[in-house]
Amino acid sequence: MNKIENNKAWFFVIPVFVVVAFSAVIPLMTVVNYSVQDIFGANSAFWTGTEWYREMLRNPDLQAALLRQFGFSFAILAIEVPLGIGIALLMPKKGWAASAALVLVAMPLLIPLNVVGTIWQILARTDIGLLGWSLSSLGMDYNINANAVDAWFTIILMDVWHWTPLIALLSYSGLRAIPEAYYQAARIDRASRWAVFRYIQLPKLTNVLVIGVLLRFMDSFMIYAEPFVLTGGGPGSSTTFLSQALTTMAVGQFDLGPAAAFSIIYFLIILAVSWVFYTAIMTLQKDKSAQQ
């Protein structure tokens, strides 16, 4: 007897496809169209082929921005992932303290991006800002507008403060999902705290950490508002990341063809690195499972 399939569920899925088509696919195709043309006006465009792509790949300013972007993304991942796991391990597991801790940890995530940049811009001031005044009181010549190291330090600290709670909350949810039987077995075997973390908690956190790492990489690679408000890309171009360089090209200079080509390259870089991250983490997980 043939199985009768109920296709009514497609009526719920089709609207999603329509929304995605209008919000993502159609704009993407428009950008691809712009990237192979030289735009002079509303009705004036000339075919350029892949010329803009070759020009963007050879552009030294964009190459430098790409290196800064990779440096920033890897730096914040190296800090936020271990720190987020550590915070999750220290958070209470039950009672009102657990609820209060969840609310307090989640608070930075609720602040809009431009407001975060404004908060840290005030904090970094040496006259009224807590961070700038404290470092200056210690004898340090702290100035994010004149010293690239100070600017980088402040941007990384700002991002760690803002987004580490995401890793902490994801890790906390993963820890709470571990059955109590695992911990009981560890206590019977007199396993150390490190052994519990290494052989029970960390393997069970792999799935949520994959999500956290991918989200944080993609978001950090597209960061714009916070460093723009905090430093404006300076001093010089030391904190000018890809998104700001792309915005300047598209909006400031109105070079739509080159900007479109670079945005496609930008998108492909994010896609490729995210795929590498996902593949590497999942391969590592499979290897550990095979060894066990």
Side-chain angles (χ1 to χ4, degrees), residues 99-110:
S99 301
L102 287 172
V103 172
L104 291 175
V105 170
M107 284 182 66
L109 299 174
L110 305 178

Side-chain angles (χ1 to χ4, degrees), residues 200-268:
I200 297 178
Q201 294 174 325
L202 188 57
K204 297 297 181 181
L205 287 176
T206 302
N207 291 333
V208 294
L209 289 180
V210 168
I211 298 173
V213 168
L214 290 178
L215 287 176
R216 284 306 302 128
F217 171 76
M218 290 186 289
D219 187 67
S220 66
F221 215 78
M222 297 184 293
I223 191 171
Y224 174 77
E226 302 100 308
F228 179 75
V229 173
L230 180 61
T231 65
S237 59
S238 59
T239 58
T240 299
F241 298 115
L242 288 176
S243 56
Q244 187 176 341
L246 178 59
T247 303
T248 301
M249 185 183 301
V251 180
Q253 302 170 359
F254 204 69
D255 291 333
L256 296 182
F262 183 65
S263 65
I264 296 297
I265 297 172
Y266 196 179
F267 168 72
L268 292 176

Side-chain angles (χ1 to χ4, degrees), residues 68-81:
R68 285 192 292 269
Q69 194 74 67
F70 273 117
F72 172 77
S73 296
F74 288 129
I76 62 102
L77 284 176
I79 297 172
E80 291 177 9
V81 173

